[in-house]
Amino acid sequence: WGSPRSCPVPQGPHPPPSPLSFPLTVTSEQIEHLHRRFKQLSRDQLTIRKENFDSIPDLEFNPIRGKIVHAFFDKRNLRPESDGLADEINFEDFLTIMSYFRPIEMNMDEEQLDRFRKEKLKFLFHMYDSDHDGKITLQEYRNVVEELLSGNPHLEKESARSIADGAMMEAASICVGQMGPDQVYEGITFEDFLKMWQGIDIETKMHVRFLNMEPIAHCY
Amino acid sequence: EDLWWVAARVGAAWLTLVLALIVLPSALGVSLGISEAYMWVLVKTLEWATRRIEKGVKKPQPRMLKTPAANGIIERDKTPMEKEIEHLHRVDFEFSDIFYFCRKGFEAIVEDEVTQRFSSEELVSWNLLTRTNVNFHYISLRLTVVWVIGVIVRYCFLLPLRFTLAAIGISSMIVGTTIVGQLPNSSVKNYLSEVVHLTCSRILVRALSGTIHYHNKENKPQKGGICVANHTSPIDAIILTNDGCYAMVGQVHGGLMGVIQRATVKACPHVWFERSEIKDRHLVTKRLREHVADKSKLPILIFPEGTCINNTSVMMFKKGSFEIGGTIYPVAIKYDPQFGDAFWNSSKYNIVSYLLRIMTSWAIVCNVWYMPPMVREEGEDAVQFANRVRSAIARQGGLTELPWDGGLKRAKVKDTFKEEQQKNYSKMLVRNGSIG
């Protein structure tokens, strides 16, 4: 049982005892739950590999299942300034990825909120940018659209393509403004990506909220 | 030799006590009130223990307004895909569409509905069995002392008692049904076979310290019908036969189970299939149809889920049982996990360790609801009928309904399901007129 002290998720001070306060960061109970889930997925091993995610029936439904699982092993998400793919991850890494889905807390200041938002958007950016070159190219974008639409037999590849192209043009007009007839749009960089999301509230769309457990459930 | 003599006397006295206080009343169908007294003491002790634990919690916990669902640790967002994506849309396809699927994926990774059902239910308050509390921390001396006493009582007193009873129950079932089986077929034979089955079931239920509440007895399954129930453990059959006689359906096993099967089939027409016959669905259906058509035969008992679920939900019913025809009598069984967890996690425990756990729990308390009979309606196929019966059982027992197949315990999701979500999403895009 890995001790919670070693995990990077910050343990905040005691939450104020007001009935409307949400929990600060992830509590130790929630970490315990996640640890149990981790053990379940890893079949009691210390690390998880990609194959372990096959045992989740709910996940099979998801069209971008591949990208989600890939995100767990993407080293850019695990440690800042690193790159490549990991073969297996331990519980600490698992928690690091989970922390991208922390809900926002009521008492965060502007700077923290901004950093929070950037982290989440960066996670999303990495999901699109599958060749790790720091740009979302038209081809990568097409890949995502195709994955999302691949189940429908009535939608041909051409239609999927045109959807992607249309959206890409829209993105280009936001980022680069009017393009000349010979200009080629290389790809969406992270700065451009941030520009696209200005003014749109994503914080509430990209979080998983834990239910609070009654104190009696655990004897301590 | 003195020691042996004393031991023999004690053993004899013990046996006489057991026979007089438990076996005889079972045979006559009377209750002496011993179980009720035991349960009362147990409930009082557990309430006391819970209060001690509450007092012992020193950290001030933030009080949340919401009560947590006993079965989940994260709040699942129930917004359907259409609403959410509509809300985000300014252009036909957006980067943001991926949010919905991303979040759903993460929710599934943190906790998925199916795997949850194959592990035991978590209790909100501790019931003094270490196995139900994953993190047993020291609270107070008194509580620990009570817990130790509990262990001693369970392992040194209850376990031998229950084991003796179970042994008596099983051996009398084998002997009794063999004797009755020798008689020629007649109403006397049927009557005697019922008596034997009922008595032995009652002894076995007492062997588990079972307290069962039967509701709506007027809907009890009649002869020539089919009784279907949700499945939590092998004990389900004993719980039901405690109150009536059924014809069991199942595979022939070896060992002790096989001996019991061979003995009982002589007295009462149970339907046992060889392993090879089970594979042939038509053969199975044919035999069951013949049994049901004979109105003088006892109702068949079937568990359509096919595997043990942890009693918080009802999974997909296999349609085979609903193709036989005849009247279906649904029964809902709900165990109270406070006194002992009846769920058999067959991937974690084998049958022997499972029985040991059951026999060292406090008690098995459950509610059984008999429901009004149902028949297949015009234009309804077997699958729809199965789902209708399943909804009724889930509603009555307070269980949730899951469309999943119990076979997912061991196998993976079918590919046809995977494409559903993708189809829905792309249908939405096409509807928004984004093509062309």
Side-chain angles (χ1 to χ4, degrees), chain A residues 16-193:
Chain A
S18 105
L20 291 176
S21 71
F22 293 96
L24 265 188
T25 69
V26 187
T27 65
S28 46
E29 289 157 343
Q30 289 158 355
I31 296 189
E32 260 175 54
H33 271 288
L34 284 174
H35 186 89
R36 256 184 281 166
R37 180 62 172 164
F38 182 84
K39 280 211 303 201
Q40 203 180 44
L41 289 175
S42 71
R43 288 164 218 269
D44 288 329
Q45 303 292 315
L46 286 172
T47 56
I48 291 190
R49 313 183 87 94
K50 279 205 178 162
E51 301 82 63
N52 294 111
F53 286 96
D54 289 345
S55 55
I56 308 176
D58 266 355
L59 196 58
E60 297 288 307
F61 263 6
N62 205 306
I64 51 165
R65 178 189 173 280
K67 289 230 181 308
I68 295 178
V69 174
H70 187 97
F72 274 83
F73 295 88
D74 189 339
K75 281 205 185 141
R76 296 174 296 176
N77 294 331
L78 292 174
R79 277 164 275 278
E81 314 304 326
S82 68
D83 202 354
L85 268 186
D87 284 328
E88 47 185 22
I89 51 171
N90 59 18
F91 184 54
E92 203 175 306
D93 298 329
F94 186 71
L95 280 186
T96 313
I97 304 286
M98 280 292 155
S99 66
Y100 284 102
F101 278 77
R102 284 199 322 268
I104 50 167
E105 287 124 31
M106 302 264 72
N107 51 359
M108 280 182 148
D109 59 19
E110 279 297 314
E111 196 202 308
Q112 275 182 314
L113 271 176
D114 192 50
R115 200 160 29 100
F116 208 59
R117 199 185 142 90
K118 253 206 188 136
E119 268 174 31
K120 295 197 183 212
L121 283 173
K122 198 154 208 166
F123 184 79
L124 202 66
F125 185 78
H126 291 158
M127 242 197 217
Y128 273 94
D129 180 21
S130 41
D131 62 3
H132 299 218
D133 64 354
K135 287 202 290 280
I136 303 180
T137 59
L138 181 59
Q139 191 50 47
E140 284 168 340
Y141 196 55
R142 280 184 186 153
N143 283 344
V144 176
V145 178
E146 269 167 25
E147 253 184 50
L148 281 172
L149 300 177
S150 50
N152 191 338
H154 301 298
L155 210 59
E156 290 131 24
K157 226 159 181 229
E158 283 313 307
S159 322
R161 251 200 196 175
S162 61
I163 295 177
D165 293 354
M168 198 67 173
M169 290 226 309
E170 169 89 10
S173 66
I174 297 180
C175 308
V176 183
Q178 273 300 80
M179 287 206 300
D182 292 338
Q183 258 185 307
V184 172
Y185 188 43
E186 291 267 323
I188 308 177
T189 60
F190 186 54
E191 284 68 37
D192 294 341
F193 195 68

Side-chain angles (χ1 to χ4, degrees), chain B residues 407-419:
Chain B
L408 282 176
K409 208 185 204 170
R410 288 171 249 275
K412 283 180 59 171
V413 181
K414 294 206 195 85
D415 278 329
T416 40
F417 284 138
K418 281 196 240 184
E419 282 135 21

Side-chain angles (χ1 to χ4, degrees), chain A residues 145 149 155 158-167, chain B residues 89-94 97 425-436:
Chain A
V145 178
L149 300 177
L155 210 59
E158 283 313 307
S159 322
R161 251 200 196 175
S162 61
I163 295 177
D165 293 354
Chain B
H89 260 184
R90 291 179 319 170
V91 181
D92 306 291
F93 175 84
E94 283 230 336
D97 286 349
Y425 177 68
S426 44
K427 254 193 267 192
M428 243 180 42
L429 276 197
V430 174
R431 243 207 318 267
N432 282 346
S434 62
I435 312 296

Side-chain angles (χ1 to χ4, degrees), chain B residues 346-360:
Chain B
S346 52
S347 29
K348 224 168 150 193
Y349 304 107
N350 61 12
I351 184 81
V352 177
S353 47
Y354 168 71
L355 286 174
L356 196 66
R357 274 164 61 97
I358 291 286
M359 289 201 185
T360 53

Side-chain angles (χ1 to χ4, degrees), chain B residues 321-338:
Chain B
S321 339
F322 298 89
E323 288 172 334
I324 305 173
T327 326
I328 302 274
Y329 294 88
V331 175
I333 305 177
K334 177 85 176 112
Y335 290 88
D336 187 349
Q338 190 65 28

Side-chain angles (χ1 to χ4, degrees), chain A residues 14-23 28-29 32-34 36-37 40-41 53-64 67-68 72 94 97-98 101 121 123-124 127-128 136 141 144-145 147-153 155 159 162-163 167-168 170-171 174 188 193 196-197 200 202 204-220, chain B residues 50 53-54 56-69 72-76 84 87-88 90-116 119 122-126 133-139 143 404 408 412-413 415 417-423 425-427 429-430 434-436:
Chain A
H14 264 302
S18 105
L20 291 176
S21 71
F22 293 96
S28 46
E29 289 157 343
E32 260 175 54
H33 271 288
L34 284 174
R36 256 184 281 166
R37 180 62 172 164
Q40 203 180 44
L41 289 175
F53 286 96
D54 289 345
S55 55
I56 308 176
D58 266 355
L59 196 58
E60 297 288 307
F61 263 6
N62 205 306
I64 51 165
K67 289 230 181 308
I68 295 178
F72 274 83
F94 186 71
I97 304 286
M98 280 292 155
F101 278 77
L121 283 173
F123 184 79
L124 202 66
M127 242 197 217
Y128 273 94
I136 303 180
Y141 196 55
V144 176
V145 178
E147 253 184 50
L148 281 172
L149 300 177
S150 50
N152 191 338
L155 210 59
S159 322
S162 61
I163 295 177
M168 198 67 173
E170 169 89 10
I174 297 180
I188 308 177
F193 195 68
M196 279 171 56
W197 289 105
I200 304 179
I202 57 125
T204 51
K205 300 294 165 202
M206 209 169 132
H207 72 260
V208 171
R209 193 178 285 281
F210 276 87
L211 293 174
N212 205 32
M213 306 298 287
E214 289 283 304
I216 299 178
H218 307 277
C219 291
Y220 50 75
Chain B
T50 314
I53 296 172
E54 275 180 13
V57 173
K58 295 200 179 64
K59 288 201 289 197
Q61 300 283 341
R63 298 252 151 257
M64 294 294 281
L65 289 177
K66 277 197 282 246
T67 32
I73 60 169
I74 51 174
E75 183 183 330
R76 317 271 325 223
E84 175 129 350
H87 182 68
L88 286 175
R90 291 179 319 170
V91 181
D92 306 291
F93 175 84
E94 283 230 336
F95 277 94
S96 53
D97 286 349
I98 211 176
F99 273 140
Y100 174 81
F101 294 107
C102 213
R103 196 173 73 238
K104 285 282 166 220
F106 264 75
E107 281 177 0
I109 291 179
V110 173
E111 166 182 85
D112 76 276
E113 284 193 317
V114 178
T115 322
Q116 257 192 313
S119 61
E122 293 211 11
L123 284 182
V124 179
S125 69
W126 193 39
N133 194 324
V134 183
N135 19 274
F136 169 62
H137 283 86
Y138 179 81
I139 288 195
L143 196 62
W404 296 96
L408 282 176
K412 283 180 59 171
V413 181
D415 278 329
F417 284 138
K418 281 196 240 184
E419 282 135 21
E420 276 304 307
Q421 276 241 325
Q422 289 160 313
K423 284 208 194 105
Y425 177 68
S426 44
K427 254 193 267 192
L429 276 197
V430 174
S434 62
I435 312 296

